Amino acid sequence: MKLKNKHFNKMVFLPFLIVFSIAIGTLGWYTIYQRFFTDQGEVYQNWKVDIGKPTQSTIIIDELGGLGLDGELYKQYKYDSESIKRLEKKPYWIKVTNNNIKIVNQKVTDFTDLFIENDIHAKKNKRTLLRHPINLNTNCYYYIKQNKKKPDEYAIFVLNPIEKKLYLFENYL
């Protein structure tokens, strides 16, 4: 009887071990995928800011250089109702008020002017910016993140919960 029980343990343990290994491996690859190959993973890797999981992301203007990764990038992310509520509750947001709206608007304008300064794509970028305006009002939130190692590199995050959009402006030097 004892011999039969040992054989049964091996028959149960081996398939369990295989299934468990496959589950752990799949979870590991999924975690790696989420961390490095998704929009929220990319933003987190670059700026250490959690933007949640958007339903859609659109690169509006990409003026990044080759391997040096210098230049500017403007992206918009869209969210569903629940995701935007979770994102709105993040602790890093600063509420846009009547007192600071001019300052935030000036920072966004200064950034978008970088796209127009480039002689090669200036006209195209100006048309693109007009088609994809940044709707900044007192219902919005903002956050400016600077790279500690390279102070000239920064990102401007503008969250508009009414539109369910996040505007992201990234500057790399």
Side-chain angles (χ1 to χ4, degrees), residues 43-49 145 147 153-155 170 172:
V43 172
Y44 188 80
Q45 288 298 314
N46 292 340
W47 303 107
K48 304 297 185 244
V49 174
K145 178 76 181 222
N147 185 340
E153 289 187 359
Y154 62 94
E170 300 177 83
Y172 298 97

Side-chain angles (χ1 to χ4, degrees), residues 5-170:
N5 194 14
K6 230 178 186 179
H7 181 68
F8 177 75
N9 284 342
K10 285 182 183 178
M11 286 179 56
V12 171
F13 181 72
L14 188 59
F16 173 76
L17 184 62
I18 291 170
V19 169
F20 183 72
S21 297
I22 290 170
I24 294 296
T26 303
L27 181 62
W29 282 111
Y30 180 75
T31 303
I32 289 170
Y33 171 77
Q34 289 294 321
R35 187 68 164 219
F36 295 103
F37 301 107
T38 61
D39 293 315
Q40 70 265 29
E42 181 182 316
V43 172
Y44 188 80
Q45 288 298 314
N46 292 340
W47 303 107
K48 304 297 185 244
V49 174
D50 178 16
I51 64 163
K53 186 176 182 179
T55 55
Q56 179 184 355
S57 71
T58 307
I59 297 173
I60 306 301
I61 299 177
D62 182 354
E63 288 291 327
L64 294 177
L67 296 175
L69 190 67
D70 59 339
E72 299 83 34
L73 183 66
Y74 168 30
K75 288 177 122 179
Q76 286 184 6
Y77 300 98
K78 291 184 182 177
Y79 293 86
D80 60 28
S81 297
E82 291 197 22
S83 296
I84 200 75
K85 286 177 186 174
R86 281 193 301 271
L87 184 57
E88 190 176 1
K89 292 178 184 177
K90 300 287 181 184
Y92 44 79
W93 293 118
I94 300 167
K95 180 80 170 138
V96 174
T97 64
N98 289 330
N99 295 334
N100 66 10
I101 194 166
K102 286 182 183 178
I103 295 168
V104 177
N105 194 33
Q106 186 60 48
K107 289 192 180 290
V108 170
T109 301
D110 289 346
F111 189 94
T112 56
D113 284 348
L114 294 173
F115 293 123
I116 299 169
E117 288 175 7
N118 184 349
D119 293 335
I120 298 170
H121 300 112
K123 288 182 181 179
K124 177 184 164 214
N125 288 346
K126 192 170 188 174
R127 285 191 307 268
T128 301
L129 288 169
L130 290 172
R131 281 194 316 263
H132 300 279
I134 299 92
N135 296 320
L136 186 65
N137 56 52
T138 56
N139 294 318
C140 295
Y141 298 88
Y142 76 98
Y143 180 61
I144 299 172
K145 178 76 181 222
Q146 238 177 331
N147 185 340
K148 292 178 183 175
K149 295 177 184 173
K150 298 178 182 177
D152 292 333
E153 289 187 359
Y154 62 94
I156 302 172
F157 298 81
V158 176
L159 180 69
N160 188 327
I162 304 300
E163 289 184 338
K164 300 178 189 169
K165 282 186 180 179
L166 171 67
Y167 305 96
L168 174 58
F169 307 95
E170 300 177 83

